[in-house]
Amino acid sequence: QAQTTPLSFYGTMDLAVGKLSSQPPGPPNAPVTSVNGVHNGGVQTSYFGLRGTEDLGDGLKAKFQLESFLRADTGASGRFNPPGPPQDPLWSRAAWVGLEGGFGELRLGNNTNPSWLANVFTSAMGSNSLFSPSFRQQYNGSTRGYMAQDTGLSNSLSYSSPMLAGTVVTVNVQASEGTGSGNNLNGSVVHRAGPLLLALAGARVQHVPSPDPAGALDEQFVMLGAHYDLKVVTLFAQYTDFKDKLGNIKIRTPHIGLTAPVGTGQVQLAWAEGKTSGAASGKRTTTSAGYLHPLSRRTQLYLMVGTDKVSTGTAKSYVTGIRHTF
Amino acid sequence: QAQTTPLSFYGTMDLAVGKLSSQPPGPPNAPVTSVNGVHNGGVQTSYFGLRGTEDLGDGLKAKFQLESFLRADTGASGRFNPPGPPQDPLWSRAAWVGLEGGFGELRLGNNTNPSWLANVFTSAMGSNSLFSPSFRQQYNGSTRGYMAQDTGLSNSLSYSSPMLAGTVVTVNVQASEGTGSGNNLNGSVVHRAGPLLLALAGARVQHVPSPDPAGALDEQFVMLGAHYDLKVVTLFAQYTDFKDKLGNIKIRTPHIGLTAPVGTGQVQLAWAEGKTSGAASGKRTTTSAGYLHPLSRRTQLYLMVGTDKVSTGTAKSYVTGIRHTF
Amino acid sequence: QAQTTPLSFYGTMDLAVGKLSSQPPGPPNAPVTSVNGVHNGGVQTSYFGLRGTEDLGDGLKAKFQLESFLRADTGASGRFNPPGPPQDPLWSRAAWVGLEGGFGELRLGNNTNPSWLANVFTSAMGSNSLFSPSFRQQYNGSTRGYMAQDTGLSNSLSYSSPMLAGTVVTVNVQASEGTGSGNNLNGSVVHRAGPLLLALAGARVQHVPSPDPAGALDEQFVMLGAHYDLKVVTLFAQYTDFKDKLGNIKIRTPHIGLTAPVGTGQVQLAWAEGKTSGAASGKRTTTSAGYLHPLSRRTQLYLMVGTDKVSTGTAKSYVTGIRHTF
């Protein structure tokens, strides 16, 4: 157990004060609720992690990563306050070991979904789970996203190709492991060419990853997204086509946004509108704006505001806070 | 996420063998119970933590801290064995990010209570939750303390003033966050002048911090405390005036103590007597004595004994152990 | 809290793909079940830890260790997926502080059992909880081992003698701490002489360690084990005599194995047969084979196969994976 290469410890502490509103997960047509106070993750969910790399020679590397989400407002491990989505395991953000070489990278464990990374790359508000309109509408967090899948898959095997002509293909497969349903698949093709990033992503979800309660599911989606750096302004666009085949529901979600410098800071604007058809119908419109003021490369002060028009009203949120990356 | 300043990892492992007795939390007039065996925290509750500071220039610093209590006797996270007080979150001792500058220090997250720090400064047995008479009688741990508040407040904003003429003012505010009651407030004024430390602290508690079960409360207290370093002996005194306004109960608790060197070691003596009046009445007398023998600056062997006279008898405790700070 | 000596952080990430089969813990004559997918710990249960040593002078050292098992396939803390054995505390693998000197080593906390270490030393598959036949049959994990005791004892005091003529004696005592039954004892005598390691170990278990549910127990066992290094091949043998005195059950388990180099890799073979007599009777035969291919001193690829003939059939398992020690 002699330690020949140093481990890295790292993470983000992001806390804000203000008002957060959303239609909570649970029964349909639940009223919008608001909480005033101190909130975790106004820009990014707080976490800490450790990782290591060992050079095995001939371009081969062994790598591992362990990352743990935390609610920095209470000190609790994981992302969600009960009641709500199931509680996270300790190493909820990542837990994998793998090999990297000329063949690409192969990882086993609790792996981040490539479709989620494609979303982050092509969203003006990146991984902001509270304000990014595409995150709020799509992901199964505290804001009643429509997808059963989470941002990662436990019990999974993940493969990323080497970059070829600016293109990387990533696939994540999660075995059903006795849940009595099919495997889950998640994948992306990400192409980078100068100022352009183009991403095609998709998933088939046939069971809900542990530790969520199991149940028969058949969800599929495809997302096409891009960002384009105009030097001053960067533009972002996504289109997601989602089907819940058992529930006979389709949801189509265009999502656009931009980031622009203002002095040393950055303004973020984003909008998404999900239209549901099939066994249910409806429209959800989410608009957010943010300003990040850097105190350093690692530390920013920020202001975030957003509205989220759902079936029972409009959830209005605004927070100001600090994100510190360590 | 490049790490430009090193993180610090640190903590305390404190374990002892012996007998611990107390009237356990729960129904009134519960009999005193004793446990013989291996115990966590004969001098200080074990914990580990990490912290970092980033220099932002112009005297401004970004800081964060994550600290996790642990029961080193079983390896469990948090402070309490069930049944008893609610289980702690992972980062129960601290979880905050903040800014320090000429204006003082502002922190967001799970912050230590200034009234608790004032208690530690003016108590001969400091943060000893098992033997310090004021800790045993007042704090909501395994020894049936009378205060609903804990040693910290989650979801809080904490502000400390710069030191002015030896004086620092600290205020901790916890929003009610949907608990349907008012905010919690906790504050202190601590004055240092040569051998003297003088502390005035107080709190208003209107709900119990998460993850404790919510409920209507109105507790208030004021504490005046001091220590005085006579070069050989240091004297400690506190007076706490506590009111449970909904329960119509008052408790007044004088607490005195001293520390004195014996060879290279230190003797600690402390006594407190809480008198309850109002809807209930009674008297609780707690006396403790300890000896710490240093093996180094970081490591001590110790012997602690104490009696705690409660409504149903006298709880007698004695342990011998080791505290190692890393 | 100034840190004068560096802490060490270390651990193992071990993940595999394949099929795991076993008769699960629970009611007798449960059918064998299998899970295909990604599994934690094909060679060794994943964990991470930190430890520190402080030199106190005169040959005296203060030491501590905190180690946390993890299921790297899901990111969960601890070893077991529910339902099954009770969930582990955070620092389930170790949590202790102690002193080392000319007198030997004394530790307080959650200490590894010397009988388990003696088992690891004299087993061809070491601490492999999924494939080592003696581990599968004896230890209270996911494979219905017959012993109530775990691989460590919380709330324990552990003493190891200095090595004298190649011999070390270790005793671990766990107080009953209010469980209403006697103390648990666990001990070993380990003798090393050139290519030979000889171990005598035993235990008396009168209650199940926290956090397992308490209950009256009286289990005793004695194990005699050895390994002998023939330079190319190393031979391993164990004989365990186990009694459940309250249940009137005896189980005798011979266990043999060998390791041999194949190119730069290592082959492992092991076999055990437990014979039950008394109030119940039966025979359980477990045979395993493995191959470890080193990519470096710290990283191995492996293939493990095994059969476990239990009352309701034969559980067949095979996995291929990677173990990375950091």
Side-chain angles (χ1 to χ4, degrees):
Chain A
Q1 286 163 347
Q3 197 159 309
T4 55
T5 53
L7 297 175
S8 282
F9 291 88
Y10 56 93
T12 293
M13 290 288 280
D14 180 338
L15 282 160
V17 291
K19 176 178 163 178
L20 286 183
S21 303
S22 66
Q23 191 178 29
N29 297 316
V32 168
T33 58
S34 297
V35 176
N36 290 287
V38 177
H39 304 294
N40 186 42
V43 169
Q44 184 182 11
T45 306
S46 300
Y47 76 99
F48 83 100
L50 64 157
R51 65 182 165 218
T53 300
E54 184 192 15
D55 195 335
L56 299 168
D58 295 325
L60 198 64
K61 287 176 183 172
K63 301 167 75 175
F64 83 96
Q65 201 170 48
L66 287 167
E67 293 183 347
S68 181
F69 284 118
L70 66 109
R71 280 161 280 173
D73 49 354
T74 62
S77 181
R79 292 168 291 174
F80 305 120
N81 297 320
Q87 296 302 292
D88 282 329
L90 180 58
W91 303 105
S92 48
R93 199 178 197 263
W96 55 262
V97 62
L99 289 175
E100 183 189 333
F103 62 88
E105 185 162 342
L106 194 65
R107 298 175 176 183
L108 284 174
N110 177 12
N111 288 296
T112 303
N113 272 329
S115 74
W116 182 72
L117 289 176
N119 188 340
V120 170
F121 294 154
T122 59
S123 158
M125 291 189 154
S127 60
N128 190 325
S129 69
L130 299 175
F131 288 93
S132 165
S134 84
F135 201 114
R136 271 183 87 95
Q137 292 201 18
Q138 295 180 28
Y139 283 88
N140 175 25
S142 56
T143 60
R144 190 185 283 260
Y146 55 73
M147 291 177 179
Q149 70 152 22
D150 201 343
T151 55
L153 289 178
S154 61
N155 282 308
S156 70
L157 187 154
S158 172
Y159 169 72
S160 286
S161 74
M163 189 178 288
L164 195 72
T167 305
V168 174
V169 178
T170 306
V171 181
N172 211 355
V173 186
Q174 180 189 43
S176 59
E177 298 216 359
T179 56
S181 47
N183 296 341
N184 290 335
L185 287 171
N186 194 292
S188 72
V189 182
V190 176
H191 177 73
R192 285 174 173 84
L196 175 72
L197 182 146
L198 201 62
L200 178 68
R204 182 168 188 192
V205 181
Q206 295 185 270
H207 65 276
V208 183
S210 170
D212 298 47
L217 277 179
D218 194 358
E219 297 189 355
Q220 297 175 23
F221 70 86
V222 177
M223 185 202 81
L224 185 65
H227 81 234
Y228 197 91
D229 184 353
L230 294 169
K231 294 302 166 197
V232 179
V233 171
T234 301
L235 302 177
F236 298 81
Q238 295 176 354
Y239 188 82
T240 303
D241 188 309
F242 169 86
K243 287 176 202 165
D244 172 354
K245 299 191 86 164
L246 298 188
N248 189 27
I249 286 172
K250 290 185 186 188
I251 305 177
R252 287 175 178 156
T253 314
H255 180 230
I256 55 173
L258 65 83
T259 61
V262 174
T264 60
Q266 186 190 59
V267 165
Q268 301 175 337
L269 297 172
W271 172 92
E273 187 167 86
K275 282 189 186 154
T276 302
S277 60
S281 68
K283 193 170 80 169
R284 179 175 179 181
T285 310
T286 308
T287 310
S288 296
Y291 172 68
L292 278 83
H293 176 74
L295 298 177
S296 75
R297 268 178 63 90
R298 290 168 50 203
T299 305
Q300 299 94 40
L301 301 179
Y302 60 80
L303 184 69
M304 294 279 150
V305 300
T307 67
D308 189 6
K309 200 174 162 191
V310 297
S311 65
T312 54
T314 298
K316 294 178 185 167
S317 302
Y318 45 86
V319 300
T320 183
I322 180 171
R323 176 173 68 160
H324 174 65
T325 299
F326 61 89
Chain B
Q1 284 163 350
Q3 196 159 309
T4 56
T5 53
L7 297 175
S8 283
F9 290 89
Y10 56 93
T12 293
M13 290 288 281
D14 180 338
L15 282 160
V17 291
K19 176 178 163 177
L20 286 183
S21 303
S22 65
Q23 192 178 28
N29 296 317
V32 168
T33 59
S34 298
V35 176
N36 289 287
V38 177
H39 303 293
N40 185 42
V43 169
Q44 184 183 9
T45 306
S46 299
Y47 77 98
F48 83 101
L50 64 157
R51 66 182 165 219
T53 301
E54 183 192 15
D55 196 334
L56 299 168
D58 295 325
L60 198 64
K61 287 175 183 174
K63 300 167 75 174
F64 84 96
Q65 200 168 49
L66 287 168
E67 294 182 348
S68 179
F69 284 118
L70 66 110
R71 280 160 280 172
D73 50 354
T74 62
S77 180
R79 291 167 293 173
F80 304 119
N81 296 321
Q87 296 302 291
D88 282 329
L90 179 60
W91 302 105
S92 47
R93 199 178 197 263
W96 55 262
V97 62
L99 289 175
E100 184 188 334
F103 62 88
E105 185 162 342
L106 195 65
R107 299 174 175 184
L108 284 175
N110 177 11
N111 288 295
T112 303
N113 272 329
S115 75
W116 182 72
L117 289 176
N119 188 339
V120 171
F121 294 154
T122 59
S123 158
M125 292 189 153
S127 60
N128 190 325
S129 69
L130 299 175
F131 288 93
S132 166
S134 84
F135 201 114
R136 270 183 87 95
Q137 293 201 18
Q138 296 179 28
Y139 284 88
N140 175 27
S142 55
T143 60
R144 190 185 285 260
Y146 55 73
M147 290 176 180
Q149 71 151 21
D150 201 343
T151 55
L153 290 177
S154 60
N155 282 309
S156 70
L157 187 154
S158 173
Y159 170 72
S160 286
S161 74
M163 190 178 286
L164 195 70
T167 305
V168 173
V169 178
T170 306
V171 181
N172 209 356
V173 186
Q174 180 187 45
S176 60
E177 297 213 1
T179 57
S181 47
N183 297 341
N184 289 335
L185 288 171
N186 194 292
S188 72
V189 181
V190 176
H191 177 73
R192 287 174 173 85
L196 175 72
L197 182 146
L198 202 61
L200 179 67
R204 182 169 189 192
V205 181
Q206 295 186 269
H207 65 276
V208 183
S210 171
D212 297 48
L217 278 178
D218 194 359
E219 297 190 355
Q220 297 175 22
F221 71 86
V222 176
M223 185 201 80
L224 185 66
H227 81 234
Y228 196 91
D229 184 352
L230 294 169
K231 293 300 166 201
V232 179
V233 171
T234 301
L235 302 178
F236 298 81
Q238 296 175 352
Y239 188 82
T240 304
D241 188 306
F242 169 88
K243 287 175 202 165
D244 172 355
K245 298 192 86 164
L246 298 187
N248 189 27
I249 286 172
K250 290 186 186 187
I251 305 177
R252 287 174 178 157
T253 314
H255 180 230
I256 56 172
L258 64 83
T259 61
V262 173
T264 60
Q266 186 190 58
V267 164
Q268 301 176 336
L269 297 172
W271 172 93
E273 189 167 85
K275 282 188 187 154
T276 303
S277 60
S281 68
K283 193 170 79 168
R284 178 176 179 180
T285 311
T286 308
T287 311
S288 296
Y291 172 67
L292 278 84
H293 176 75
L295 298 177
S296 75
R297 269 178 63 90
R298 291 169 48 202
T299 305
Q300 299 95 41
L301 300 179
Y302 61 80
L303 184 69
M304 293 280 149
V305 300
T307 67
D308 189 7
K309 199 173 163 191
V310 297
S311 65
T312 55
T314 299
K316 294 178 184 167
S317 303
Y318 44 86
V319 300
T320 183
I322 180 170
R323 177 173 68 161
H324 174 65
T325 299
F326 61 89
Chain C
Q1 286 162 347
Q3 197 160 307
T4 55
T5 53
L7 298 175
S8 283
F9 291 88
Y10 56 94
T12 292
M13 290 289 280
D14 180 338
L15 282 161
V17 292
K19 175 178 164 177
L20 286 182
S21 303
S22 66
Q23 191 178 29
N29 297 317
V32 168
T33 58
S34 298
V35 176
N36 290 287
V38 177
H39 304 292
N40 184 44
V43 169
Q44 184 182 11
T45 306
S46 300
Y47 76 99
F48 83 100
L50 64 158
R51 67 184 164 215
T53 301
E54 184 192 16
D55 195 334
L56 299 167
D58 295 325
L60 198 63
K61 287 176 183 173
K63 300 167 74 174
F64 84 95
Q65 199 169 50
L66 288 168
E67 294 182 347
S68 180
F69 284 118
L70 66 109
R71 280 160 281 172
D73 50 354
T74 62
S77 181
R79 292 167 292 174
F80 305 120
N81 296 321
Q87 296 303 291
D88 282 329
L90 179 59
W91 303 105
S92 48
R93 198 178 198 263
W96 55 262
V97 62
L99 289 174
E100 183 189 334
F103 61 89
E105 186 162 341
L106 196 64
R107 299 174 175 184
L108 284 175
N110 177 12
N111 287 296
T112 303
N113 271 330
S115 75
W116 182 72
L117 289 176
N119 188 339
V120 171
F121 295 154
T122 60
S123 158
M125 292 188 154
S127 60
N128 190 325
S129 69
L130 299 175
F131 288 93
S132 165
S134 84
F135 201 114
R136 270 183 87 95
Q137 292 200 18
Q138 295 179 29
Y139 283 88
N140 176 26
S142 55
T143 60
R144 190 186 283 260
Y146 55 71
M147 291 176 179
Q149 71 151 21
D150 201 343
T151 55
L153 289 177
S154 60
N155 281 310
S156 70
L157 187 153
S158 173
Y159 169 73
S160 286
S161 75
M163 190 178 287
L164 196 69
T167 304
V168 174
V169 178
T170 305
V171 182
N172 210 357
V173 186
Q174 180 188 44
S176 60
E177 298 215 0
T179 56
S181 47
N183 297 341
N184 289 335
L185 287 171
N186 193 292
S188 72
V189 182
V190 176
H191 177 72
R192 286 173 173 86
L196 175 72
L197 181 146
L198 203 61
L200 179 67
R204 182 169 188 193
V205 181
Q206 294 185 272
H207 66 275
V208 183
S210 172
D212 297 50
L217 277 179
D218 194 358
E219 297 190 354
Q220 297 175 24
F221 70 87
V222 176
M223 184 202 81
L224 185 65
H227 80 233
Y228 196 91
D229 183 353
L230 295 168
K231 293 300 166 202
V232 179
V233 171
T234 301
L235 302 178
F236 298 81
Q238 295 177 354
Y239 188 83
T240 304
D241 189 307
F242 169 86
K243 287 176 202 163
D244 172 355
K245 299 192 85 165
L246 298 187
N248 189 27
I249 285 172
K250 289 186 186 186
I251 305 177
R252 286 174 178 157
T253 313
H255 180 227
I256 56 173
L258 64 82
T259 60
V262 174
T264 60
Q266 185 190 58
V267 165
Q268 302 176 337
L269 297 172
W271 172 93
E273 188 166 86
K275 282 187 187 154
T276 302
S277 61
S281 68
K283 193 170 81 169
R284 178 177 179 179
T285 311
T286 309
T287 311
S288 296
Y291 172 68
L292 278 83
H293 176 74
L295 298 177
S296 75
R297 269 178 63 87
R298 289 167 52 202
T299 305
Q300 299 94 39
L301 300 180
Y302 61 81
L303 183 69
M304 294 279 150
V305 299
T307 67
D308 190 5
K309 199 174 162 191
V310 296
S311 65
T312 54
T314 299
K316 294 178 184 168
S317 302
Y318 45 86
V319 300
T320 183
I322 180 170
R323 176 173 68 161
H324 174 66
T325 298
F326 61 89

